[in-house]
Amino acid sequence: MNARGLGLMVTALLTALLTTLLGGQAATAASLEAAAPADNGPRFLEDYPSFSPNGDGDHDRLEVGYQLRVGAVVQIRVEPRTKVAPFTVALGWKPAGRHTWRWNGRTPQGRLVPEGLYEVHLLTPQGRAESFASLDLTFESGVFVSERFGAPRDQVSKVYPRSVAVRDGVRLFVGRVSDGEVRSGVVTFRNASGGVVLRRDLRSLDRDDELIWEGRDSRGRPLPPGRYLATVSGADRLGNEGASKPLRLWVSQDRLVWRQRTRVLTAQKAWISPCSGSTTPECQMTVPGGEVTPSVRLAGGLTHRAEPSQPFMGRARSQHFLAVPKAVRGVDAIRVAFAGEPTNPGGTDVGHLSAGAGGPGAEAMVSSGSTGRTRWVEDPVYGDGVERSDRDRRRLPGAYWEFWTEGDDAFDVGTFTVSLRYLAVAG
């Protein structure tokens, strides 16, 4: 044995002796981090355990399982990601096998640490292991509107329970239920005076943690018009109890009715940028397969010239959108027609149109050298609008369609005729 190996053995024996004689307080964290073969190092049996030391007897202590491949002197070092100073707990000699360290969420001085994330280090002469633990003292859930139909997030959602054409409702989402974080609870709806008008047990939610708020009482009768609040209260899996912030809702005295409208637009009127609805930089990197320019022959029209040298893209494409702000429940269905002619008089070139979604291969697609009309498309893309996110800009409900030419075709489209079906407020 060389001198370095002999020195390490002496250090380990002295550490074990001092720990035994002094009740485990003599060993330091530094002495337990000596280099050693990785095969003999300790390991944690669970990552990211959580606990809630609130005194209710439910998950009050953190239980951290760990395994030793050989018997060793063990220390636990806790390094908070809060303002609490790091501290070390000496566990003394432990034989090889599985063990559990339990922590009540207090410092060696007996002070309860604040909630947050804590790094936990398992230290032995053979090596170390690291994990994290979460101290959670707060009930976290909430009620949110699932579909806003392009409305701003701070806009109060309305429901129209007096509608005859449809049984109206607002789809609500309750957070942290299906992932097991919320163990039990109820969603409570109150009127402006604080009176309870409806309760729904969380066990009645669908698989998406959603429920429909219809603005009706437990007997199905429309509630009086006015302001209402929705909250979720209950207990989470750690035993924390509480209630969420209230979600503002509004019951309207108006009714929803079906509308069917038709608009005739020049091709330029509804023309949008391919990246008009995106906030991502990669959208600007799209390689064009041709060019789309204002038409010199048809007023307000667009000329589409495909580029045959671009076989991967191979088409000149324009995208179009017509916002329908009165579609309070989104656009139910659209149908689009076009009128145009080949760019070169007397030619046989054709244009292609798809409505609601897609492009080439879309079900609602039509091709013609003069006029064409798609079938009705139900639940069209962007029909429900878009809520602003990290990737998308907010967009009102509306109709979306695409027009393009392929190969070496050139086509001028002059107008689009857009038919819409949607629910709107009567009057």
Side-chain angles (χ1 to χ4, degrees):
M1 179 180 298
N2 58 30
R4 182 175 181 275
L6 181 60
L8 287 175
M9 177 177 290
V10 172
T11 299
L13 291 174
L14 288 176
T15 299
L17 179 61
L18 288 172
T19 301
T20 303
L21 293 175
L22 301 179
Q25 302 301 315
T28 64
S31 68
L32 297 178
E33 296 182 29
D39 290 344
N40 289 332
R43 70 182 184 94
F44 283 110
L45 300 177
E46 180 184 2
D47 290 326
Y48 302 104
S50 300
F51 71 121
S52 176
N54 55 14
D56 64 353
D58 194 353
H59 291 84
D60 275 347
R61 291 177 178 269
L62 174 69
E63 295 190 357
V64 179
Y66 63 94
Q67 183 176 30
L68 301 177
R69 292 178 174 82
V70 296
V73 176
V74 179
Q75 285 189 349
I76 297 288
R77 182 168 177 81
V78 179
E79 296 184 358
R81 292 193 172 183
T82 63
K83 295 182 179 180
V84 177
F87 59 89
T88 301
V89 180
L91 304 184
W93 174 266
K94 299 291 183 182
R98 296 191 172 193
H99 305 273
T100 300
W101 173 62
R102 295 175 176 83
W103 182 38
N104 61 3
R106 298 180 180 275
T107 67
Q109 293 75 33
R111 292 191 298 270
L112 182 66
V113 300
E115 64 180 338
L117 192 64
Y118 291 79
E119 295 183 34
V120 181
H121 301 266
L122 175 63
L123 309 175
T124 72
Q126 288 74 31
R128 62 187 297 165
E130 298 177 354
S131 184
F132 292 89
S134 175
L135 191 154
D136 186 359
L137 297 171
T138 305
F139 174 81
E140 294 182 356
S141 185
V143 186
F144 312 94
V145 177
S146 297
E147 294 178 307
R148 291 191 171 275
F149 302 100
R153 293 184 182 181
D154 58 352
Q155 181 173 310
V156 178
S157 293
K158 294 182 180 180
V159 66
Y160 303 85
R162 290 159 182 80
S163 301
V164 177
V166 66
R167 190 174 178 99
D168 187 47
V170 175
R171 186 174 296 276
L172 303 179
F173 169 77
V174 182
R176 310 196 75 184
V177 176
S178 62
D179 61 4
E181 291 299 319
V182 176
R183 186 173 60 190
S184 61
V186 295
V187 179
T188 303
F189 298 89
R190 291 182 169 84
N191 58 26
S193 301
V196 176
V197 298
L198 184 68
R199 282 194 175 96
R200 290 283 301 274
D201 192 285
L202 294 185
R203 290 173 295 182
S204 68
L205 302 183
D206 63 20
R207 289 181 299 177
D208 296 322
D209 295 343
E210 292 184 333
L211 59 88
I212 305 297
W213 159 246
E214 296 183 336
R216 300 171 182 268
D217 62 18
S218 58
R219 299 174 62 180
R221 299 171 300 187
L223 293 167
R227 179 173 63 88
Y228 291 81
L229 298 175
T231 58
V232 57
S233 58
D236 62 21
R237 68 180 181 85
L238 298 178
N240 296 314
E241 298 180 350
S244 68
K245 294 181 179 179
L247 172 69
R248 295 180 299 162
L249 299 165
W250 187 268
V251 172
S252 176
Q253 63 181 357
D254 297 323
R255 295 180 296 110
L256 296 181
V257 295
W258 284 107
R259 301 287 193 204
Q260 186 165 317
R261 297 287 187 265
T262 298
R263 293 279 304 277
V264 179
L265 307 163
T266 64
Q268 293 182 31
K269 183 71 173 179
W271 189 21
I272 61 173
S273 164
C275 295
S276 63
S278 175
T279 61
T280 58
E282 57 266 25
C283 183
Q284 305 293 337
M285 300 171 63
T286 302
V287 178
E291 63 176 4
V292 179
T293 58
S295 172
V296 298
R297 301 179 62 241
L298 301 179
L302 292 172
T303 298
H304 296 70
R305 294 181 182 275
E307 175 53 64
S309 65
Q310 296 284 347
F312 179 72
M313 301 296 289
R315 67 183 67 97
R317 183 180 66 163
S318 61
Q319 297 170 305
H320 304 265
F321 183 76
L322 174 63
V324 187
K326 292 184 178 181
V328 295
R329 291 293 177 260
V331 175
D332 179 69
I334 69 170
R335 183 177 62 186
V336 183
F338 77 92
E341 58 189 29
T343 303
N344 302 312
T348 59
D349 294 354
V350 299
H352 311 276
L353 168 70
S354 69
E363 292 184 8
M365 173 182 162
V366 63
S367 303
S368 174
S370 57
T371 62
R373 187 178 71 178
T374 70
R375 64 170 178 82
W376 279 99
V377 180
E378 297 182 348
D379 192 23
V381 65
Y382 299 132
D384 290 340
V386 176
E387 184 175 339
R388 182 176 178 84
S389 67
D390 293 338
R391 297 186 61 87
D392 300 303
R393 295 186 175 93
R394 187 173 69 86
R395 175 178 284 175
L396 292 173
Y400 172 84
W401 65 98
E402 297 180 2
F403 190 88
W404 70 95
T405 56
E406 298 178 344
D408 58 358
D409 282 1
F411 193 90
D412 283 30
V413 59
T415 61
F416 293 109
T417 301
V418 185
S419 299
L420 306 151
R421 186 169 67 232
Y422 56 92
L423 285 167
V425 177

